[in-house]
Amino acid sequence: MVDSLDSVLKERLRAVLDREPVTEGELRKLIEEGRACALLVRGQLESSERRLTELSGDPEAALADIAEALREVHVLRPSLDELQAMLGELQGRAREFRRSWVAPGA
């Protein structure tokens, strides 16, 4: 579920970062949704990392289980990094948006 939420959100973030028109309210909502999604992905990543640590310390752990946990970590970490970078860019866009209110010619 987080994967599909993450994909849909990133698609919307990309559109806004590519200068799709957006209102202040939409921008705020998108930032909030992005932060919530980042928290969910971070939670999944931490859970997968804990599982990987536990499995790697268990001599009886199945190799398939270790591989699955490792795969999850390798998928989630770049996804979280990308989401956080996009949110940082979006914050910059929000500052630009607000500056345009103060100085309409800027």
Side-chain angles (χ1 to χ4, degrees):
M1 167 141 166
V2 173
D3 290 339
S4 63
L5 174 66
D6 182 51
S7 297
V8 170
L9 179 65
K10 284 180 182 176
E11 190 174 305
R12 180 71 178 123
L13 285 169
R14 282 185 194 98
V16 171
L17 291 172
D18 287 339
R19 301 296 180 181
E20 179 179 292
V22 65
T23 67
E24 171 69 12
E26 291 169 332
L27 201 54
R28 273 187 272 124
K29 182 179 178 188
L30 193 54
I31 289 170
E32 288 173 16
E33 290 173 357
R35 287 178 181 157
C37 187
L39 286 173
L40 290 170
V41 174
R42 183 176 294 113
Q44 276 188 326
L45 176 60
E46 290 171 357
S47 175
S48 294
E49 288 174 334
R50 276 191 307 274
R51 184 168 180 255
L52 181 59
T53 299
E54 291 168 5
L55 289 170
S56 64
D58 181 358
E60 294 182 23
L63 186 55
D65 293 340
I66 295 171
E68 175 62 22
L70 186 59
R71 185 197 65 77
E72 289 173 5
V73 168
H74 283 283
V75 168
L76 291 169
R77 184 171 291 131
S79 180
L80 179 59
D81 291 344
E82 179 186 24
L83 183 55
Q84 289 175 323
M86 292 172 84
L87 285 171
E89 289 180 51
L90 191 62
Q91 290 286 357
R93 174 87 193 271
R95 282 189 293 278
E96 289 174 20
F97 192 82
R98 290 176 188 118
R99 266 196 304 266
S100 72
W101 289 352
V102 176

